[in-house]
Amino acid sequence: MSTDVVALLRAELGERVDTTPAALEAVRADKSGHAAEGRPLAVVHAASVSDVQATLRIASATRTPVVTRGAGTGLAGGANTGSGEISLSVRGMDRILEVRPDDLLAVVEPGILNADLNAMLEPHGVWWAPDPASRAISTVGGNIATGAGGLLCAKYGVVRDAVLGVDLVLADGRLLHLGHRSVKGVTGLDLTSLVIGSEGTLGVVVGATLKLRRHVEGERVTLTALFDGVRAAAVASAAVTASGVQPAIMELMDATSLAAVHRLLSLPTLPAGAAQLTIQTDGPAASDEARVIADVLTSAGGRVAVAADAAEGEALLAVRRAMHPAMETLGTTLIEDVSVPRSALPDMFDEIARIERQFGLVIPAVAHAGDGNLHPNFVFEGSDVPPVVWDAAEEVFRAALALGGTLTGEHGIGVLKRRWLADELGEDQWQLQRDIARVFDPLGILNPGKVFAPRPQHPSA
Amino acid sequence: MSTDVVALLRAELGERVDTTPAALEAVRADKSGHAAEGRPLAVVHAASVSDVQATLRIASATRTPVVTRGAGTGLAGGANTGSGEISLSVRGMDRILEVRPDDLLAVVEPGILNADLNAMLEPHGVWWAPDPASRAISTVGGNIATGAGGLLCAKYGVVRDAVLGVDLVLADGRLLHLGHRSVKGVTGLDLTSLVIGSEGTLGVVVGATLKLRRHVEGERVTLTALFDGVRAAAVASAAVTASGVQPAIMELMDATSLAAVHRLLSLPTLPAGAAQLTIQTDGPAASDEARVIADVLTSAGGRVAVAADAAEGEALLAVRRAMHPAMETLGTTLIEDVSVPRSALPDMFDEIARIERQFGLVIPAVAHAGDGNLHPNFVFEGSDVPPVVWDAAEEVFRAALALGGTLTGEHGIGVLKRRWLADELGEDQWQLQRDIARVFDPLGILNPGKVFAPRPQHPSA
């Protein structure tokens, strides 16, 4: 059966069908630290919409699971491909088909990297706002599949706010054009939004009409504020939000994160417990806004430093950007992604501290404080997430839900959080969502075992 | 059977079940000018979520169609209720349950009027941005059901951008909580977006968590520019968009519209063919932005007038707001609602002129020029839309689609445009959307005959 599938794929797609051990091994994992069991049947390197359609027709005819893959930078295992499955890579479909600065839209293929797209939009005076930390290495298609966010979201929106339409190949190979090119449009059901964040369970995104923004005029001003503890920093971030000034970036680092980065970058040692906010304003009123924010932060007990120029501002932001390398110096990391209403941010940090004590773990955490999205990092030895980490992570999820939050702000459910999906949705909605996915994919061949999979004891099971 | 349903409703809901002839007559129509055939069985005036659930349980048990209704201000016939159907009014569920300025959210019942909500948010320093022209008389639930827009959308977004979650009662009476209270959230499929604009076909919205904005600081500056013709005005609006300055409002009135309003308001007669842009800037840089825009408009051949103060600005906008009363002086009006990419606005006005000549009709048109959404008005005598008007409207739809646009920017499909829905979606997507609706409503009792109905020869058939 398996060889039949590969033979069918080869007959139609020739050398785009890759069964080299290195290729099969590479697609078992994404950046979540989790890998699928076994090796897939093949990797199909699609170069066109018709390649994708051909792959799905064969997959449907043979009832073979298909896992779509961009650059493999996901953090929830959504693109991990294992035994008996086809890995359908759209990374090679990376063209920009159209840029219309007058209509503030671009039509692109899914495999283009976010940063490459923005570099090519630059001369047109426009940009695509979603800016996941992975933007240099993640694809627009992957950003759409996960509903990605980033640092600039509180001011400039997430992927859901920046896509007008998608072209979607269904499980049976049919091509649909969802959405529209106009800014407004309410014709029928909003299937574009349904596809955003659907993690490969509804179809394969083979094209996207993106909503662009014009470059923001004016300077950027960056400042940091040090606080005695993470709660004080979180309360201060809420005060900034309450001031009515909208920063472009407002990042919070707790003491463990900040200390680890300072060690990595050989920066001065900070007082124990010190936490930091890093804030950037932009636009014509950037300086005025930075002054208002500096006053708010000082009143909230922060020790404020304002960057003298853009280079110094970048150096301040580099501290935040070094978070992931710094975590890697501590051990293996499971990066979590809960999101809570902004006012609940201090309480959520309290909950993380409680869970650290309860489980005897250290959980360095950073937050996109402008929108209440936290990334607690569970650090451990070895390559497999130990049960105690999953138990602690479960406590973090439950705490976030109890505070009116959600399991995942921008990374997705994938395999890592499927166990808790019904806890947030409720059984009725969980079943409804699964039934909707079945309308797109009646045979259940699209990314099976992800998002809606039956609930295992532990996510790795 | 019919009397059984009413008896069942009365047994459970008592005096909230209304079968007076006046009530039954009133719910046959919305503001589209189109009415359902026959009178419904009853109007249920729901006062609570459990009233809605009880109604839907009885409707499911008896397979009786249910049409949800807010204030009845729709323009596509979506809430029209006819023979054999239950009209489920949620207009009485009009409470604000929670306002959180710190989290920029409010939780409301669906029956509250948009303007009433904003009046009650005012003291908190926040507002809900969607501003359909009907905002004084339309409900938030109706705004969600249609995915409403308004004048401020190009800068401040549409309903889809301003809702975090909805509580939805399914056809069988179960209550689901969709979405979340956090700004970010990608847990599972985005059913909140799917419900927005679904026109009562997926369930009954009984609550909504709205995303608010802080009041915009600073002044507002209003200006108008007169042009020799509508194409020149449309080209000028594109030049404003291309300038990178984002007006809060940018409205375009063609010659017939403008002349009709000038007659109604006893304003000076204008040169034949004169069309007008009315633009408002807001925020800290409003004056600077208005100056830039005035220069762009002058360069584009416009005769610019800037309001001296807020009162004069309101007077200029009042001309645009008098459009509908002015149309009523000409006859009965079918208000259309196509949307095109902004760069296609001049071509779309050319198409409307061509269709006027082809069918011997006058089609006064206004546009939200900042986002490419046009409202061509078909004026006729009597209460029934004549076939020639539908033929001309069809030409307008086809022209909008050919220019990369959509059938409806903000009013919805309802009964009036169901005939053309598959033209835009394609047969495959049309069927997929219908199948998705069936997952929510397996018996097909939610607003049957709307949006996805079989395609009649003319919409009134």
Side-chain angles (χ1 to χ4, degrees):
Chain A
M1 175 67 175
S2 300
T3 43
D4 287 349
V5 174
V6 175
L8 289 167
L9 289 171
R10 274 199 208 288
E12 191 128 8
L13 295 153
E15 64 188 16
R16 288 201 261 287
V17 182
D18 188 346
T19 54
T20 58
L24 300 182
E25 193 58 34
V27 299
R28 288 182 56 227
D30 58 5
K31 301 265 184 214
S32 67
H34 183 70
E37 293 204 14
R39 278 185 183 168
L41 301 172
V43 180
V44 176
H45 301 285
S48 67
V49 174
S50 63
D51 286 352
V52 172
Q53 293 182 285
T55 304
L56 286 166
R57 278 193 295 263
I58 292 167
S60 273
T62 57
R63 300 201 172 213
T64 310
V66 174
V67 182
T68 308
R69 189 175 187 88
T73 61
L75 291 168
N80 294 356
T81 316
S83 183
E85 299 180 329
I86 298 166
S87 174
L88 174 55
S89 171
V90 294
R91 178 66 183 87
M93 296 171 64
D94 62 356
R95 290 177 304 163
I96 298 178
L97 302 177
E98 189 182 357
V99 179
R100 288 295 298 256
D102 53 348
D103 285 326
L104 290 174
L105 66 83
V107 182
V108 303
E109 291 185 330
I112 189 168
L113 298 183
N114 180 311
D116 288 351
L117 168 65
N118 276 302
M120 292 167 91
L121 292 176
E122 169 80 33
H124 298 282
V126 292
W127 61 301
W128 193 51
D131 70 324
S134 61
R135 67 188 184 283
I137 55 170
S138 66
T139 64
V140 169
N143 297 167
I144 290 172
T146 52
L151 272 59
L152 295 165
C153 307
K155 184 161 185 178
Y156 295 109
V158 293
V159 167
R160 175 185 183 271
D161 305 308
V163 179
L164 293 170
V166 295
D167 295 334
L168 189 78
V169 175
L170 294 178
D172 61 10
R174 281 178 298 158
L175 173 64
L176 299 185
H177 303 283
L178 311 178
H180 34 78
R181 290 169 63 94
S182 53
V183 180
K184 280 186 189 164
V186 293
T187 298
L189 302 177
D190 182 2
L191 298 192
T192 303
S193 292
L194 196 68
V195 167
I196 294 169
S198 64
E199 302 186 51
T201 63
L202 303 185
V204 180
V205 173
V206 293
T209 303
L210 307 177
K211 192 172 168 180
L212 306 179
R213 289 175 172 272
R214 256 170 238 296
H215 282 164
V216 178
E217 301 287 332
E219 59 192 328
R220 287 178 190 168
V221 181
T222 310
L223 62 161
T224 58
L226 263 185
F227 293 85
D228 291 339
V230 71
R231 172 169 254 279
V235 169
S237 78
V240 170
T241 301
S243 77
V245 176
Q246 177 65 66
I249 293 174
M250 180 157 65
E251 294 293 309
L252 194 163
M253 299 180 76
D254 76 353
T256 318
S257 310
L258 192 59
V261 171
H262 273 241
R263 275 194 304 276
L264 179 73
L265 301 183
S266 304
L267 295 170
T269 304
L270 295 166
Q276 184 164 282
L277 283 174
T278 308
I279 294 176
Q280 189 171 77
T281 58
D282 65 0
S287 292
D288 291 344
E289 291 176 357
R291 265 191 294 277
V292 172
I293 289 171
D295 289 346
V296 169
L297 297 173
T298 305
S299 300
R303 292 184 294 289
V304 174
V306 182
D309 53 31
E312 200 178 308
E314 273 311 295
L316 294 178
L317 271 173
V319 173
R320 167 63 182 87
R321 295 217 172 94
M323 171 67 185
H324 295 308
M327 289 301 100
E328 285 168 10
T329 66
L330 301 181
T332 314
T333 310
L334 173 71
I335 304 173
E336 277 311 331
D337 176 44
V338 294
S339 201
V340 296
R342 283 167 281 212
S343 63
L345 205 53
D347 287 350
M348 190 63 216
F349 276 107
D350 287 349
E351 289 287 78
I352 292 172
R354 173 184 68 73
I355 293 163
E356 284 183 312
R357 291 191 301 272
Q358 183 179 333
F359 292 89
L361 296 171
V362 178
I363 311 174
V366 294
H368 307 304
D371 55 32
N373 185 197
L374 299 96
H375 296 307
N377 287 253
F378 295 85
V379 184
F380 53 91
E381 302 293 316
S383 62
D384 291 329
V385 181
V388 64
V389 165
W390 281 123
D391 291 343
E394 174 160 336
E395 276 294 295
V396 167
F397 300 152
R398 292 198 192 289
L401 294 179
L403 288 169
T406 184
L407 279 174
T408 171
E410 55 186 14
H411 294 171
I413 297 293
V415 290
L416 293 189
K417 283 183 209 165
R418 56 190 179 181
R419 180 184 172 199
W420 295 281
L421 181 61
D423 290 343
E424 177 170 340
L425 299 183
E427 293 291 341
D428 283 348
Q429 190 186 164
W430 186 90
Q431 190 60 52
L432 182 76
Q433 292 205 358
R434 208 179 147 94
D435 291 346
I436 291 167
R438 282 300 167 106
V439 172
F440 287 79
D441 172 28
L443 301 176
I445 61 167
L446 292 176
N447 219 1
K450 311 291 168 55
V451 188
F452 298 114
R455 306 164 76 181
Q457 181 60 29
H458 274 132
S460 54
Chain B
M1 177 67 176
S2 302
T3 45
D4 287 349
V5 174
V6 175
L8 288 167
L9 289 170
R10 273 199 209 288
E12 192 130 6
L13 295 153
E15 65 188 13
R16 288 202 262 286
V17 182
D18 188 345
T19 55
T20 58
L24 300 182
E25 193 58 32
V27 300
R28 288 181 57 225
D30 60 4
K31 301 266 185 212
S32 66
H34 183 69
E37 293 205 13
R39 279 184 182 169
L41 301 172
V43 181
V44 176
H45 301 284
S48 66
V49 173
S50 62
D51 286 353
V52 171
Q53 292 182 284
T55 303
L56 286 166
R57 279 193 292 264
I58 292 167
S60 273
T62 58
R63 301 201 170 212
T64 310
V66 174
V67 182
T68 308
R69 190 177 186 86
T73 61
L75 292 168
N80 294 356
T81 318
S83 184
E85 299 180 328
I86 298 167
S87 172
L88 174 55
S89 170
V90 294
R91 178 68 183 87
M93 296 171 64
D94 62 356
R95 291 177 304 164
I96 298 179
L97 302 176
E98 190 183 358
V99 178
R100 290 292 299 257
D102 51 350
D103 286 325
L104 291 174
L105 67 81
V107 182
V108 303
E109 292 186 330
I112 189 167
L113 298 183
N114 180 310
D116 288 351
L117 168 65
N118 276 303
M120 292 167 92
L121 292 176
E122 168 80 32
H124 298 281
V126 292
W127 61 300
W128 192 51
D131 70 324
S134 62
R135 67 188 185 283
I137 54 169
S138 66
T139 64
V140 169
N143 296 166
I144 291 172
T146 52
L151 272 59
L152 295 165
C153 305
K155 184 162 185 178
Y156 295 110
V158 293
V159 166
R160 174 183 183 271
D161 304 308
V163 178
L164 293 171
V166 295
D167 295 334
L168 189 78
V169 174
L170 295 178
D172 60 13
R174 282 179 299 160
L175 174 64
L176 300 184
H177 302 284
L178 311 177
H180 35 77
R181 290 169 64 93
S182 51
V183 180
K184 280 185 189 164
V186 293
T187 299
L189 301 177
D190 183 2
L191 298 192
T192 303
S193 292
L194 196 68
V195 168
I196 294 168
S198 64
E199 303 186 51
T201 63
L202 302 186
V204 180
V205 173
V206 293
T209 303
L210 307 177
K211 192 172 171 182
L212 307 179
R213 287 175 173 272
R214 260 172 236 292
H215 282 164
V216 178
E217 302 286 333
E219 60 192 328
R220 288 178 189 166
V221 181
T222 310
L223 62 160
T224 59
L226 262 185
F227 293 86
D228 290 340
V230 71
R231 172 167 254 279
V235 169
S237 77
V240 170
T241 299
S243 77
V245 175
Q246 177 65 66
I249 293 173
M250 181 157 64
E251 295 293 309
L252 194 163
M253 299 180 74
D254 77 352
T256 317
S257 308
L258 193 60
V261 171
H262 273 239
R263 275 195 302 277
L264 179 72
L265 301 182
S266 304
L267 296 169
T269 305
L270 296 166
Q276 185 164 283
L277 283 175
T278 308
I279 293 177
Q280 190 171 76
T281 58
D282 65 0
S287 291
D288 291 345
E289 291 176 358
R291 265 191 294 276
V292 172
I293 290 171
D295 287 348
V296 170
L297 296 173
T298 304
S299 300
R303 294 183 293 289
V304 175
V306 182
D309 52 32
E312 201 178 306
E314 274 311 295
L316 294 178
L317 272 173
V319 172
R320 168 62 182 88
R321 295 216 172 94
M323 172 68 183
H324 295 309
M327 289 300 100
E328 284 168 9
T329 67
L330 301 181
T332 314
T333 311
L334 173 71
I335 305 173
E336 276 313 331
D337 176 43
V338 294
S339 202
V340 295
R342 282 165 282 211
S343 63
L345 206 52
D347 287 349
M348 189 65 215
F349 276 107
D350 286 349
E351 288 289 76
I352 292 171
R354 174 185 66 76
I355 293 163
E356 284 184 310
R357 291 191 301 272
Q358 182 179 336
F359 291 88
L361 295 171
V362 178
I363 311 174
V366 294
H368 307 305
D371 54 33
N373 184 199
L374 299 96
H375 296 306
N377 287 252
F378 296 84
V379 184
F380 54 91
E381 301 293 316
S383 61
D384 292 327
V385 180
V388 64
V389 166
W390 282 123
D391 291 343
E394 174 159 337
E395 276 294 296
V396 167
F397 301 152
R398 292 198 190 287
L401 293 180
L403 289 169
T406 183
L407 279 173
T408 171
E410 54 185 16
H411 294 172
I413 297 293
V415 291
L416 292 189
K417 282 182 210 166
R418 56 190 179 182
R419 179 184 172 198
W420 295 281
L421 181 61
D423 290 342
E424 178 169 340
L425 299 184
E427 294 290 341
D428 283 348
Q429 189 187 165
W430 186 90
Q431 189 61 50
L432 182 77
Q433 294 206 357
R434 208 179 149 95
D435 291 346
I436 291 168
R438 281 301 165 102
V439 173
F440 287 80
D441 172 28
L443 301 176
I445 62 167
L446 291 176
N447 220 2
K450 312 291 168 55
V451 187
F452 298 113
R455 307 166 76 180
Q457 182 59 31
H458 274 129
S460 55

